[in-house]
């Protein structure tokens, strides 16, 4: 699509395998970075799309795409790349690259992963990111998993997998299960706005 490429979702079973290895004390830095950097690239794409930005596929320069002009020219010196507005939109539409309501989780991971030094620190960042949610800001209720932007699979498949990714932050695991329960009840229409259960 006009040479525009976004980082793909990652294979959730790679994440499951990493957790197993980590729990067995067998994960090394390369194992962690294989997943962690894949997530970081995917998050970068999400953050670029959130701000209508693009890394030029020809010269590598990052630039702002105009949301009002029919096309935007890359400002890179001597670069002739130009992106029509519609092509930019089509490049990420229906690819789960829209940040939704989980932007803080993506921003935090994006900023902190590159400066994390130990396997333990990196695993906590990965664990926190994948167990995050999109929250409706009006009702303050969870409506989707942030991991749906990050991993292959339907919402239900991703939740089932995330449920197995536990043990790194027990308190976080507990909050995750409670939030998943709230999310399903809300999606089934079993909650009134403001989170009150129906009688
Ligand atoms: Zn360029």
């Amino acid at each position: 699509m006009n040479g525009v490429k976004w980082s793909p979702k990652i294979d959730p079973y790679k994440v499951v395998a990493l957790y197993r290895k980590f729990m067995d004390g067998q994960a090394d830095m390369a194992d962690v970075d294989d997943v962690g950097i894949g997530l970081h690239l995917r998050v970068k794409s999400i953050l670029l799309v959130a701000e209508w930005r693009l890394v030029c596929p020809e010269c590598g320069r990052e630039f702002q795409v105009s949301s009002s002009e029919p096309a935007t020219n890359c400002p890179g010196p001597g670069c002739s790349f130009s992106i029509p507005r519609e092509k930019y939109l089509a490049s990420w539409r229906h690819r789960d690259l829209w940040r939704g309501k989980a932007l803080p989780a993506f921003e935090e991971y994006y900023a902190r992963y590159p400066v994390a030094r130990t396997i333990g620190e990196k695993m906590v960042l990965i664990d926190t990111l994948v167990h995050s949610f999109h929250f409706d800001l009006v009702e303050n209720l969870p409506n989707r998993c942030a991991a749906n932007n990050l991993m292959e699979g339907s919402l239900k498949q991703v939740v089932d997998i995330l449920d197995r990714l536990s043990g790194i932050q027990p308190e976080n695991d507990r909050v995750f299960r409670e939030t998943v329960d709230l999310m399903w009840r809300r999606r089934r229409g079993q909650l009134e706005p403001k989170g009150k259960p129906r009688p």
Side-chain angles (χ1 to χ4, degrees):
M1 182 107 24
N2 238 36
V4 175
K5 283 207 176 76
W6 300 109
S7 295
K9 291 185 181 183
I10 67 168
D11 176 350
Y13 292 100
K14 270 174 79 170
V15 190
V16 174
L18 172 64
Y19 271 65
R20 279 211 191 108
K21 236 175 154 176
F22 178 75
M23 290 304 179
D24 291 344
Q26 302 293 318
D28 60 23
M29 196 61 93
D31 296 323
V32 179
D33 278 341
D34 186 32
V35 167
I37 292 173
L39 286 169
H40 198 260
L41 291 169
R42 177 70 182 174
V43 167
K44 178 171 187 179
S45 287
I46 291 168
L47 295 178
L48 285 170
V49 165
E51 296 185 348
W52 278 68
R53 295 183 73 81
L54 178 67
V55 174
C56 176
E58 284 178 21
C59 72
R61 176 139 169 183
E62 188 184 312
F63 65 98
Q64 184 79 44
V65 177
S66 171
S67 60
S68 52
E69 299 295 320
T72 306
N73 297 323
C74 172
C79 183
S80 60
F81 180 77
S82 176
I83 181 95
R85 182 181 177 281
E86 288 310 314
K87 286 252 166 72
Y88 179 72
L89 277 170
S91 75
W92 54 262
R93 197 178 273 144
H94 306 310
R95 291 184 186 194
D96 287 335
L97 280 161
W98 187 240
R99 64 182 164 83
K101 302 293 196 298
L103 189 61
F106 297 139
E107 282 178 329
E108 183 172 325
Y109 183 82
Y110 186 72
R112 293 181 61 187
Y113 193 86
V115 293
R117 287 286 164 260
T118 66
I119 287 176
E121 281 175 68
K122 289 182 177 187
M123 287 302 292
V124 166
L125 290 173
I126 292 170
D127 192 57
T128 302
L129 173 71
V130 300
H131 290 98
S132 304
F133 292 85
H134 293 273
F135 272 84
D136 182 298
L137 296 184
V138 177
E139 297 175 3
N140 198 30
L141 287 171
N143 52 25
R144 264 173 97 238
C145 292
N148 279 110
N149 298 90
L150 307 170
M151 300 178 189
E152 300 290 348
S154 68
L155 177 59
K156 168 122 184 23
Q157 288 165 339
V158 166
V159 167
D160 288 348
I161 286 164
L162 292 174
D163 227 2
R164 291 156 58 187
L165 303 180
S166 58
I168 292 179
Q169 302 178 93
E171 174 60 16
N172 201 44
D173 293 339
R174 188 186 62 74
V175 172
F176 174 76
R177 299 224 163 79
E178 286 174 10
T179 312
V180 162
D181 180 54
L182 200 58
M183 178 180 79
W184 287 134
R185 281 158 63 206
R186 180 188 193 208
R187 292 175 74 94
R188 291 187 203 110
Q190 292 170 340
L191 292 176
E192 295 291 355
K194 308 293 175 201
K196 284 189 204 134
R198 279 180 190 167

